[in-house]
Amino acid sequence: MAKQLDYHAIREIFTRFQSAEARPKGELDHVNAYTLVVAVALSAQATDVGVNKATKELFKIADTPQKMLDLGEEQVIEHIKTIGLYRNKAKNVMKLSRILVEDYGGEVPNSRAALESLPGVGRKTANVVLNMWWQYPAQAVDTHIYRFGNRSGVCPGKDVVAVERAIEDHIPTDFQQHAHHWMILHGRYTCKARKPLCGTCLIRDLCLFEEKNL
């Protein structure tokens, strides 16, 4: 774990991220808050590309909780069986859809606690939905952010909650809205787990990763 970078280094890092891509976007396809919840829940232990393939036809016919319930669990399984843990995920999709219909009038709630109460929805999923749909600066820490944060010194922490707190505490507020997307994309395509592309990294002079290969 690297030490925590100071304010000036972090501001420069996110200034560069912003210059490279002013408005980064998540890579999960969705058409509304409900399909975003479902897509993010399905993405656990699966790739965004794989989830998008699985939901392409599903969301055409079931883009609301009630339509998903009408479709039925077996048909949901048929659509998502190419992704990991598909049976359990299908059960959770049906359970959360029923709760949304019965307790929330078919609408997706926009508090973290309410979202986390839904089956298959954890803190990361809740934060993604709050950030992407309601533009709330919630920080969804995944494996890419955890790795990047600890390697670089941008947001080091012993667990995902500590990393989330480090993001909130140290990244300047004008970058908070898009911070987790910049870091996810950087971790996914540049600061890779096995072979980080340090030689072409736009923040290599500021990064504290001791094993970086320039």
Side-chain angles (χ1 to χ4, degrees):
M1 182 189 301
K3 67 179 182 179
Q4 177 67 58
L5 284 169
D6 66 19
Y7 173 85
H8 301 290
I10 292 175
R11 172 159 284 283
E12 176 60 24
I13 284 171
F14 283 90
T15 297
R16 293 181 191 181
F17 284 160
Q18 186 179 59
S19 295
E21 187 170 4
R23 299 185 64 84
K25 297 180 179 180
E27 297 183 321
L28 285 171
D29 294 337
H30 60 283
V31 296
N32 53 30
Y34 171 69
T35 54
L36 179 58
V37 170
V38 172
V40 181
L42 293 177
S43 71
Q45 298 182 353
T47 65
D48 289 358
V49 172
V51 171
N52 289 340
K53 288 181 179 178
T55 59
K56 182 178 180 180
E57 297 302 320
L58 175 63
F59 289 162
K60 289 180 180 179
I61 56 176
D63 60 355
T64 70
Q66 186 60 59
K67 289 179 182 178
M68 194 70 75
L69 292 174
D70 293 342
L71 185 63
E73 186 174 326
E74 290 305 313
Q75 284 301 309
V76 173
I77 287 174
E78 283 301 307
H79 282 281
I80 69 169
K81 63 184 179 181
T82 55
I83 63 178
L85 306 175
Y86 65 91
R87 290 190 182 278
N88 188 57
K89 289 178 180 179
K91 290 182 183 298
N92 283 335
V93 167
M94 299 307 290
K95 289 178 182 177
L96 73 84
S97 298
R98 187 164 300 282
I99 290 172
L100 290 175
V101 168
E102 294 179 353
D103 297 346
Y104 296 98
E107 300 295 325
V108 176
N110 63 350
S111 81
R112 185 183 287 116
L115 286 167
E116 285 191 74
S117 72
L118 300 173
V121 176
R123 188 177 183 86
K124 186 189 81 169
T125 297
N127 282 345
V128 170
V129 175
L130 291 173
N131 183 287
M132 290 181 63
W133 194 256
W134 282 287
Q135 288 76 56
Y136 177 77
Q139 307 301 331
V141 178
D142 69 352
T143 56
H144 299 299
I145 291 179
Y146 184 81
R147 177 177 65 252
F148 166 72
N150 278 289
R151 275 180 176 174
S152 66
V154 167
C155 48
K158 63 182 179 179
D159 54 40
V160 294
V161 174
V163 170
E164 182 180 328
R165 176 59 61 83
I167 295 170
E168 294 172 345
D169 289 349
H170 294 282
I171 294 175
T173 57
D174 49 319
F175 296 121
Q176 287 278 335
Q177 178 62 53
H178 299 301
H180 92 274
H181 277 133
W182 280 316
M183 290 188 286
I184 286 173
L185 295 172
H186 193 73
R188 181 175 291 163
Y189 298 112
T190 301
C191 193
K192 300 180 180 182
R194 294 185 179 181
K195 293 183 179 180
L197 305 179
C198 300
T200 58
C201 175
L202 79 168
I203 63 164
R204 59 186 179 274
D205 57 317
L206 299 166
C207 176
L208 298 180
F209 185 37
E210 294 181 352
E211 300 175 32
K212 59 185 173 185
N213 179 16
L214 301 181

